Amino acid sequence: MKIVKEAKTFNQVDTELLIVGVQKNCDHIKGWNNFVSFYGENVEEWIRSGDIGTERKKMTKIPYSGSNAKIKRVLFVGLGDTKTLTENELRETFGLVGKQLRALKANEFTIWLESFTASPIDEQTIAFLFAEGAGLGFYQVPHYKTTSNEVDVYMDAVHFVTDGDIDEIAASYEVGKIYADAVNEARSLVNLPPNLLTAKDLANYAEQLAKQYDFEIEILNKEDLEELGMGGILSVNKGSTEEPRLITIKYQATEKWEDVVGLVGKGVTYDTGGYSIKSKTGMVGMKGDMGGAAAVLGAMKIIGELRPNKNVVAVIGSTDNMISGDAFKPDDVITTYSGKTVEVLNTDAEGRLVLADAVTYAKQQGANYLIDIATLTGGVITALGYDKTGALTNNEAFFDSFIEASIETGEFVWGMPLTERDKKRIRKSDIADLNNSPGSDGHMIFAGGFVGEFVGDTPWIHLDIAGTSDTTSAYDLGPKGGTGVMVRTLATFIERLGEQLN
């Protein structure tokens, strides 16, 4: 996409679509009189009559018939009362603009930035939020229909009408675009059918990512995992004909490999539930059980683009969970990479077994802080619904700083308690150190708490995205399907940590 670094006046605009923000009182918009003089006084009458809606997220398309510039049409975007307008609401509004751009097949467009500013949201912030929000809203799920005649549409170029610093504005837009592109790649991974995304395929994608951004990468295959004794991943993989992979990516920002944040993703490319088999309806959609891995890879893409001053190691355990004569089963006892033994009570509680080995390996690779992310339990949906990511932590200061990043990105995270009584139930077994399924009550807490048994004193956050990784209906920032949730928050968190070191 070409970001045109040339601030234009209305009379200089040559565009398919001019995007203008309108609010409850447009006289408050800097340069509004200039726009009225350019467009014509009838625009104010149309706003008063409601033909151009100023309600928040209201979109009004009107062809431009004037002779002052080469403009095909104007898209008026309602902002409502800008005194209460938040960055998150503006991002969502721009998501709807992105949907309009796709519907109009507008490859090129112009934004009047000042029409969207609202204290303290300045032109640079508008540029970032527009690039991010519109990029997310523009996304379309890849499909495999052979009868489709739909022409591919791309956002080829963006122009700006502004009085602001065009170089800073263009830079902010570029960062927003980087964020949106990374989320959309994560979404596409989640949306891939399981026959097209195996553990090997996921590792190949990670290798390409590492090559693109000059990351250090290590891919462990089944033989490697057997030599290391990674019984968690290997037990889940036993029923499959597809080999597992453990993917490790390192981004070294400082001279010494220290103060390292570990991002650990669950990469279960399909989950039947194993012998604790899911229902026929519960199995549909399990192609997305690698949403945690997608989030980590998406965050690493942003890190590769922006190069924050923070060391990061990403570890992804990947396999599918299938059924065969060789598959693991309830009553098995397995030995994890850490040496701890686990009594298997439920083969559909497989993600925590994969994560147990992955977090242990991340610590060995130098992680001083850990964040694991996984589509782990239906319990988090029961507790929090489909729009909230559930979290556990052993370090409130670490968690508080992460929450600041989630607030900045508008991705809601809610902390859940992990008590000593919960830990005792996870450790309750007559024959092993732990059991993998203490009960259906408090399911999200037991699942995350199980992973916590392998982190020791390392500051740790567990994120359960089972409810937020996928959506069954379109929303402001995207279509139904994979959401790419937590890509932006993980990357923002790493960026903010890096800024503390500068």
Side-chain angles (χ1 to χ4, degrees), residues 222 234-244 269 319-324 326-328:
K222 185 176 182 178
L234 289 168
S235 64
V236 177
N237 180 252
K238 283 180 68 175
S240 179
T241 58
E242 296 286 346
E243 283 201 1
T269 57
T319 178
D320 49 4
N321 183 20
M322 304 298 286
I323 300 171
S324 75
D326 294 323
F328 82 131

Side-chain angles (χ1 to χ4, degrees), residues 16-192:
E16 292 181 45
L17 185 71
L18 175 63
I19 302 168
V20 175
V22 288
Q23 55 184 266
K24 197 172 181 180
N25 188 344
C26 290
D27 289 334
H28 292 162
I29 297 174
K30 180 184 177 183
W32 178 252
N33 290 334
N34 292 336
F35 176 72
V36 172
S37 298
F38 162 76
Y39 191 92
E41 294 184 359
N42 51 357
V43 69
E44 294 191 301
E45 175 58 33
W46 292 339
I47 289 173
R48 282 193 294 268
S49 66
D51 292 316
I52 295 176
T54 61
E55 302 94 338
R56 195 163 294 167
K57 299 184 180 181
K58 178 72 174 179
M59 306 283 156
T60 308
K61 300 186 295 287
I62 296 181
Y64 177 70
S65 57
S67 58
N68 293 328
K70 296 178 180 179
I71 299 174
K72 188 173 182 180
R73 58 171 65 90
V74 179
L75 177 64
F76 292 96
V77 180
L79 302 176
D81 185 354
T82 56
K83 292 179 181 178
T84 61
L85 184 65
T86 66
E87 290 187 13
N88 191 47
E89 289 171 319
L90 198 50
R91 181 189 291 110
E92 291 174 349
T93 300
F94 289 146
L96 295 174
V97 173
K99 291 174 183 283
Q100 289 287 328
L101 291 172
R102 176 169 285 282
L104 293 170
K105 296 180 170 59
N107 295 317
E108 169 274 331
F109 52 92
T110 300
I111 316 162
W112 177 23
L113 291 174
E114 278 76 11
S115 67
F116 291 98
T117 56
S119 182
I121 307 173
D122 60 14
E123 289 90 343
Q124 286 80 18
T125 305
I126 296 296
F128 170 83
L129 292 173
F130 186 95
E132 185 181 62
L136 294 173
F138 193 85
Y139 174 78
Q140 188 175 47
V141 177
H143 65 77
Y144 309 92
K145 296 180 180 180
T146 58
T147 56
S148 175
N149 294 318
E150 190 172 327
V151 178
D152 288 336
V153 181
Y154 303 96
M155 292 194 287
D156 291 334
V158 57
H159 306 261
F160 305 101
V161 173
T162 183
D163 294 330
D165 186 312
I166 192 64
D167 289 327
E168 291 185 6
I169 286 167
S172 294
Y173 193 98
E174 177 64 28
V175 174
K177 181 180 179 298
I178 287 168
Y179 267 75
D181 289 347
V183 172
N184 290 338
E185 280 205 27
R187 287 170 165 178
S188 292
L189 285 173
V190 173
N191 289 327
L192 276 171

Side-chain angles (χ1 to χ4, degrees), residues 172-243:
S172 294
Y173 193 98
E174 177 64 28
V175 174
K177 181 180 179 298
I178 287 168
Y179 267 75
D181 289 347
V183 172
N184 290 338
E185 280 205 27
R187 287 170 165 178
S188 292
L189 285 173
V190 173
N191 289 327
L192 276 171
N195 60 319
L196 301 181
L197 185 70
T198 63
K200 182 179 178 180
D201 295 325
L202 195 63
N204 289 341
Y205 174 88
E207 283 185 312
Q208 293 170 8
L209 191 74
K211 183 177 180 180
Q212 181 179 359
Y213 296 113
D214 197 27
F215 294 146
E216 181 183 334
I217 186 167
E218 176 190 69
I219 307 291
L220 300 182
N221 60 26
K222 185 176 182 178
E223 184 178 350
D224 298 325
L225 300 179
E226 288 172 341
E227 288 181 7
L228 291 170
M230 289 201 177
I233 298 174
L234 289 168
S235 64
V236 177
N237 180 252
K238 283 180 68 175
S240 179
T241 58
E242 296 286 346
E243 283 201 1

Side-chain angles (χ1 to χ4, degrees), residues 371-382:
I371 302 175
D372 79 82
I373 179 167
T375 50
L376 209 58
T377 67
V380 72
I381 300 171
T382 302

